Amino acid sequence: MRRITAKSLLLAGVLIQGVHTVNAKLSNELSPSNPAKTSLFERRLAGGRALVQKESNQQPITEESIPSQVNVSTDKSSLINTQDSLSIPKQSSEVQIKELRPLQIEDIGELVEANNPQLKALSIQIDEAKSLLLAALSARYPKINLLGNGLPEYLSGKQYRNPDFTSTPNTKSNVWRMSLSFQVKWDVIDPARVPEIAAARDSYEKAIDTYMIGLRNTRLVAISQYFLLQRADEGVRIGKQSIKASLISLRDARARYEAGVATKLEVLQAETQLARDKRLLTSKLGEQKITRRKLASILNLPEHITPTAASPPQVMGIWQPSLQESIVAAFKFREELDSLLLEISINNSNANAALASIQPNLSLVNTFTSSRYKGQANTKDVDTDDYGWSNDNVIGLTSTWNIFDGGRAKALYKYNKQKAKASEQRFASKRNDIRKEVEESFFNLETSNQDIATMTREILASRESLRLARLRFQAGVTTQREVVNAQRDLTAAEVRYSDAITSYNTSLAQLRRSTGLDMVKACKPIELPAEKISDDDLTDIPIDPMPVIPACQASKQNEQI
């Protein structure tokens, strides 16, 4: 019994010397350079890494697997997409990712406004509405028409008439003629002019509001996607740290198994946890790639550029206004409400314009006509030297009145009035939606704030639990299952902490978008030492390659097992 106890104590001391624990320092009393401490267990620990590295000889699925020709650049001038909107890449080299561009969150708004095709389309719609407004304003000015009748025209012919009624039954025509008419028309009374101009002006203002709504919504989507990219990057880091911790656990378990003080079950449990962590890293790497390309799509970056997050996830600040102040500010700020008010005004103007079709119009018309001819018509002997001209000017008032149209004008009037009432109800619904959005963002912000505090404590407790579990396992008083559970709890806590920060920042961005307020108190910068301090010695543990096994082959291996 004493021999077994001494053997266990010796094993615990050697394992503490060789194993890198999470957030724990090695004991200074055990030095690997001391030949008296060298034992079979140390040689097993030294060979543990080699045992793990023999699992695969294929290329790893890690961020470093990006081709070497991909460059990381910080030049922002080439981020503006100047590619033709109708062009389509035809070669694989045109869509190959060649550059990674780290972006700060401040760059997102500028790139969205400069590149996003949907915003460009909304900007074009503003020009369209402006053109329609200018077309409606033209009704205020007189119309000028120029009519040419024969420029010139030539008439040649012979005529015959019953001789009982005329002395010259046979006549001829041979004449050159030219006539020009110049008309100026001004609608003095036009019932449709005022409502049509008002509707066009409101449509122009609505197009501007639509652009601002689209700009702010697209910025929010892009910023939210940037936060998701930061979360994906953090997930990759967590996955790598989890794999490093699992490699240590596997190395410990194999060393104890080779020494005869552990069972095969503990080795299998460590290998299972390593497989889980590899799957976590693979999932996070895939999420990172997808999130990067989604952000590139929103920003409409050039085909060969992929954006990356230049900063890790961190709390953006503290929201200062109260819930009530945020709701009131949102009602004043949101263009959606102004857009619905303009829609009501447009429908009322269209209703008045519909009634104008059965109201009288009064126009002032001035027509000047100048004509000239040379030759004669309907004469027995044509003299081509004969000529003449005339100038006539006519000015007067003209009026039109469509007295009865079968009830069409009144039906259109009621139709547009009903549309205006429907817009009033949509205004009330949108007002409720705006308040709901502000409240949801505010409450989610409070929840995420509490989650950050809770998850911070959970991470600290999980790290300490993992450290103690490793020490207990090395001392032989517990099994590998306790270490695996503690490590799994730590990984889950770190993932939830990252999710809490992402949710907090997203809610903060939503509040700024909904209210238009920028009353965010920035967090105090973290004071870091001049030299980087390693949290633990996990950085010395390499991540082994993760084989890319075809799905068919992998499924057959599972069936064989």
Side-chain angles (χ1 to χ4, degrees), residues 20-89:
H20 302 287
T21 58
V22 179
N23 286 339
K25 296 182 179 180
L26 298 177
S27 175
N28 295 328
E29 298 178 357
L30 297 177
S31 174
S33 60
N34 188 354
K37 300 293 183 180
T38 303
S39 65
L40 173 63
F41 309 120
E42 287 183 304
R43 292 194 297 269
R44 294 295 185 185
L45 288 175
R49 181 182 300 175
L51 291 175
V52 177
Q53 291 178 345
K54 290 181 181 179
E55 293 182 353
S56 173
N57 56 1
Q58 300 189 29
Q59 292 296 328
I61 307 177
T62 60
E63 187 176 2
E64 288 74 10
S65 61
I66 299 176
S68 58
Q69 63 268 24
V70 176
N71 299 322
V72 178
S73 175
T74 58
D75 183 18
K76 299 179 183 178
S77 60
S78 59
L79 291 177
I80 306 300
N81 194 342
T82 58
Q83 186 179 6
D84 186 6
S85 301
L86 300 179
S87 64
I88 299 178

